[in-house]
Amino acid sequence: DTEVTQTPKHLVMGMTNKKSLKCEQHMGHRAMYWYKQKAKKPPELMFVYSYEKLSINESVPSRFSPECPNSSLLNLHLHALQPEDSALYLCASSQAPPGYSNQPQHFGDGTRLSIL
Amino acid sequence: KQEVTQIPAALSVPEGENLVLNCSFTDSAIYNLQWFRQDPGKGLTSLLLIQSSQREQTSGRLNASLDKSSGRSTLYIAASQPGDSATYLCAVRAAVRRGSTLGRLYFGRGTQLTVWP
């Protein structure tokens, strides 16, 4: 059983829809991550939050909008997506610095997103 | 920039064989290295984590080694079983930028393993 919970597991949406992906963890981790994974490719880092502040944005298009409302919750708001955005979206968490850089990342099971 | 390479890209073996999966990385300034398993359409399951100061870790039939100075890790799977069929991903954890203590993972492209009965 994963300690990082992602909802929904599957999402189908049109290009004009607005939807959100949710990620939750109760391990006390203060670093949280969003990854995008296309079929047969490794996960690609999108965003990193540390202590609820955005630390990294890997040049992600603005149609993806992350939000970290508290230390346990991470959202990814979606608007006006393109068919090429169809992928598995993975959330992960880990201890945050200082002094925790050697800790593992824990992954959720992901949300399978399909854009029509 | 850190680059992680995994060899082979795919491997198909009969049940019972002992396997070696290889991972190499270009920058030895890492915090740790993780091996993950991913089943089709699923998330990542952490198998083993080796700290930068360690040489190897073992869990059941799995053994992972790390040679940080040469930028290499191997995952050894003993007595393979059909249930081991999955994609195995190697990832190194390193600083997001020089001088930062915030870490991020750099992934290899994975080894797709098929073990047939």
Side-chain angles (χ1 to χ4, degrees):
Chain A
D1 289 338
T2 182
E3 296 169 310
V4 178
T5 303
Q6 290 187 243
T7 55
K9 293 189 184 305
H10 303 276
L11 179 61
V12 179
M13 58 187 286
M15 289 189 283
T16 58
N17 292 154
K18 286 185 180 181
K19 296 285 185 183
S20 297
L21 309 185
K22 180 179 172 181
C23 174
E24 198 164 2
Q25 57 86 17
H26 296 286
M27 294 178 281
H29 292 169
R30 301 302 293 275
M32 297 186 76
Y33 310 75
W34 279 116
Y35 292 83
K36 173 184 177 180
Q37 187 179 24
K38 302 283 280 184
K40 298 191 183 301
K41 295 288 179 64
E44 297 175 7
L45 184 66
M46 300 174 71
F47 302 105
V48 182
Y49 274 83
S50 179
Y51 294 93
E52 296 84 69
K53 288 187 176 8
L54 184 63
S55 295
I56 295 178
N57 176 341
E58 290 283 284
S59 303
V60 179
S62 60
R63 58 186 184 268
F64 295 92
S65 175
E67 178 196 22
C68 191
N70 60 57
S71 60
S72 300
L73 191 56
L74 183 67
N75 298 319
L76 186 63
H77 302 298
L78 315 172
H79 175 53
L81 295 194
Q82 304 297 310
E84 60 265 28
D85 296 322
S86 298
L88 181 68
Y89 287 83
L90 294 164
C91 173
S93 70
S94 71
Q95 298 279 13
Y100 293 102
S101 299
N102 60 350
Q103 296 301 305
Q105 280 191 22
H106 299 258
F107 282 80
D109 287 337
T111 293
R112 174 70 61 188
L113 177 64
S114 299
I115 308 300
L116 301 179
Chain B
K1 182 183 174 184
Q2 180 74 263
E3 293 188 5
V4 181
T5 303
Q6 291 187 245
I7 295 173
L11 188 59
S12 181
V13 299
E15 182 176 10
E17 285 208 358
N18 299 322
L19 309 172
V20 176
L21 308 183
N22 297 292
C23 172
S24 61
F25 47 95
T26 54
D27 188 342
S28 62
I30 65 170
Y31 298 127
N32 57 49
L33 184 146
Q34 260 180 289
W35 282 94
F36 293 92
R37 168 185 173 139
Q38 187 172 34
D39 294 291
K42 302 293 186 182
L44 276 65
T45 300
S46 182
L47 298 173
L48 290 165
L49 180 145
I50 311 177
Q51 301 294 352
S52 61
S53 59
Q54 296 176 326
R55 298 285 292 183
E56 67 177 328
Q57 282 288 327
T58 298
S59 176
R61 294 183 292 110
L62 304 179
N63 175 277
S65 67
L66 174 64
D67 184 341
K68 196 176 80 160
S69 60
S70 66
R72 294 178 186 174
S73 176
T74 59
L75 178 66
Y76 179 80
I77 303 176
S80 58
Q81 302 171 357
D84 295 330
S85 298
T87 296
Y88 291 80
L89 291 160
C90 167
V92 297
R93 184 175 178 86
V96 297
R97 64 183 71 85
R98 194 176 297 276
S100 172
T101 55
L102 179 62
R104 60 159 289 180
L105 292 179
Y106 296 85
F107 282 91
R109 295 175 69 89
T111 293
Q112 187 173 350
L113 173 65
T114 302
V115 181
W116 38 277

